[in-house]
Amino acid sequence: MADEGTSRKSKRRRRSRRYNPDGTMTLIEHIYEFRRRLGYALLAILAGGVFGFIWFAVKLGPIPSLGDIITGPYCALPDDLRVEFDGRGCTLLQTQPFEAFMIQLKVGIVAGMVLVAPLWLYQFWAFIAPGLYSKERKYAMTFVGFASLLFAAGAYLAFFLIPGALALLVGFGGDEFATALAGDKYISFVLSLLIIFGVSFELPLLIVMLNQVGVLKYAQLKKWRRGIIFALFVFAAFATPGNDPFSMLALAGALTLLSEVAIQVSRFHDRRLDKKRGTEGWDQLDDDEAAPFEYTPSSIDEPEPVPAERTKRGRSKTDDIT
């Protein structure tokens, strides 16, 4: 058993960047590493889900419970638009057995995934990072950081708009209708709106990424600007749940503003690239002449120095002879 534990430890050590700086692994080692990282990520998500499940019904000091946060937009509706049962105030309907437990579990898992996102995202990052150069890792971390901020901004905007969207959607009936929302339908509406807004805010980042790798140029984006704006409004009309014009216009307006920012970023990138091409003389080259590119690959991180004792023990007889 001791030999088996030592063998596993030595295998993990050989897969680490310190002892294996080029990050090379066999196919089986890749599968084992992916399984290990996936297991850690699932454990982090499970821990976050347990915390979110408990938080759903418990206040954390000055922070309200997750259930109060989620039902806040519904409870913000005027009293004459909501149905109250037995003087219990603002409550959602449970239309099926076990429905309340499943809602609490679903909301808790989603909230837990958001709270522990750095933990499980790090596991996937640690899996792919050994195969990247330092420059590639720097760009990847930049895009991941911006993607996280954009998703959070989109979700926050959606949560800010939900009370107005609900008031608009349930107010068409006038005095002839009162709203008693089923818990499952309401929670699905809120979560879908948060996810749609968060994912939609990644579209401008996609434009910047395609421009950085040379797929989209600023000249093309400038020519397609009107078409892009029209496509964003059409996308917002189909993407927003409930099809209310309030959420649709808010999503389309935010995406239009972010897309314009992405187009301007592409403009500065292409201008800098054109200036570099002119300085290095790329435009004056003939079609059959090689461009003066730098063919030396970027170096990986320098490995950590090996301890002197380990170096002494690891020397071969050939080294001693030399």
Side-chain angles (χ1 to χ4, degrees):
M1 294 298 293
D3 295 339
E4 183 179 355
T6 305
S7 177
R8 291 180 179 178
K9 185 177 180 180
S10 62
K11 289 181 180 179
R12 289 197 300 269
R13 181 175 295 176
R14 286 197 300 270
R15 290 197 298 266
S16 65
R17 177 167 287 275
R18 176 177 177 179
Y19 296 94
N20 188 15
D22 58 356
T24 57
M25 287 187 289
T26 64
L27 177 61
I28 298 300
E29 289 176 337
H30 273 293
I31 295 175
Y32 286 159
E33 179 69 8
F34 178 76
R35 184 184 64 179
R36 186 168 68 93
R37 295 295 180 181
L38 181 61
Y40 289 156
L42 292 178
L43 286 176
I45 293 174
L46 179 61
V50 172
F51 174 79
F53 183 85
I54 298 174
W55 182 27
F56 188 91
V58 178
K59 294 183 179 181
L60 303 178
I63 303 176
S65 65
L66 188 58
D68 292 337
I69 296 175
I70 293 295
T71 58
Y74 171 66
C75 296
L77 293 175
D79 295 338
D80 57 344
L81 293 179
R82 289 188 286 106
V83 176
E84 296 186 1
F85 299 92
D86 299 330
R88 298 177 59 186
C90 178
T91 55
L92 297 173
L93 292 179
Q94 181 176 202
T95 58
Q96 298 176 3
F98 218 54
E99 181 179 353
F101 175 82
M102 295 304 300
I103 291 175
Q104 184 173 348
L105 180 63
K106 179 169 62 175
V107 175
I109 291 177
V110 173
M113 287 184 63
V114 174
L115 292 176
V116 301
L119 297 179
W120 57 266
L121 285 176
Y122 170 78
Q123 298 302 324
F124 289 100
W125 171 251
F127 176 73
I128 65 174
L132 302 177
Y133 292 119
S134 58
K135 183 178 180 181
E136 295 171 337
R137 291 200 299 273
K138 181 183 69 175
Y139 284 127
M141 289 297 292
T142 301
F143 281 115
V144 169
F146 276 107
S148 302
L149 291 177
L150 288 174
F151 186 89
Y156 179 79
L157 178 61
F159 192 78
F160 178 77
L161 295 174
I162 287 175
L166 276 178
L168 180 64
L169 291 174
V170 303
F172 286 109
D175 297 334
E176 286 75 19
F177 293 90
T179 303
L181 296 179
D184 183 60
K185 300 295 183 182
Y186 172 76
I187 296 299
S188 298
F189 170 78
V190 173
L191 292 182
S192 60
L193 198 62
L194 295 177
I195 294 174
I196 288 173
F197 269 69
V199 174
S200 299
F201 270 46
E202 308 294 338
L203 294 177
L205 184 62
L206 178 61
I207 295 177
V208 175
M209 292 177 62
L210 293 177
N211 175 259
Q212 292 288 327
V213 298
V215 176
L216 285 177
K217 298 294 184 180
Y218 169 71
Q220 296 173 312
L221 295 173
K222 182 179 179 181
K223 184 189 301 183
W224 298 343
R225 180 181 277 117
R226 293 183 179 180
I228 291 175
I229 295 175
F230 177 77
L232 291 176
F233 273 84
V234 174
F235 169 78
F238 283 97
T240 51
N243 297 325
D244 64 290
F246 189 76
S247 300
M248 183 201 74
L249 292 176
L251 178 60
L255 290 180
T256 300
L257 178 61
L258 291 175
S259 298
E260 184 61 30
V261 173
I263 291 175
Q264 295 304 318
V265 171
S266 303
R267 175 187 178 185
F268 287 113
H269 174 263
D270 289 354
R271 180 183 297 178
R272 185 181 61 179
L273 186 61
D274 292 340
K275 183 178 180 180
K276 182 178 180 181
R277 291 172 61 91
T279 303
E280 299 185 2
W282 297 359
D283 296 332
Q284 285 74 32
L285 296 175
D286 295 332
D287 295 338
D288 56 351
E289 187 176 356
F293 293 134
E294 177 61 45
Y295 293 100
T296 304
S298 58
S299 60
I300 61 176
D301 294 339
E302 293 293 333
E304 297 182 11
V306 181
E309 296 181 359
R310 179 174 174 271
T311 305
K312 185 176 180 180
R313 290 197 303 268
R315 288 190 307 175
S316 61
K317 295 182 178 180
T318 307
D319 296 334
D320 296 332
I321 296 173
T322 305

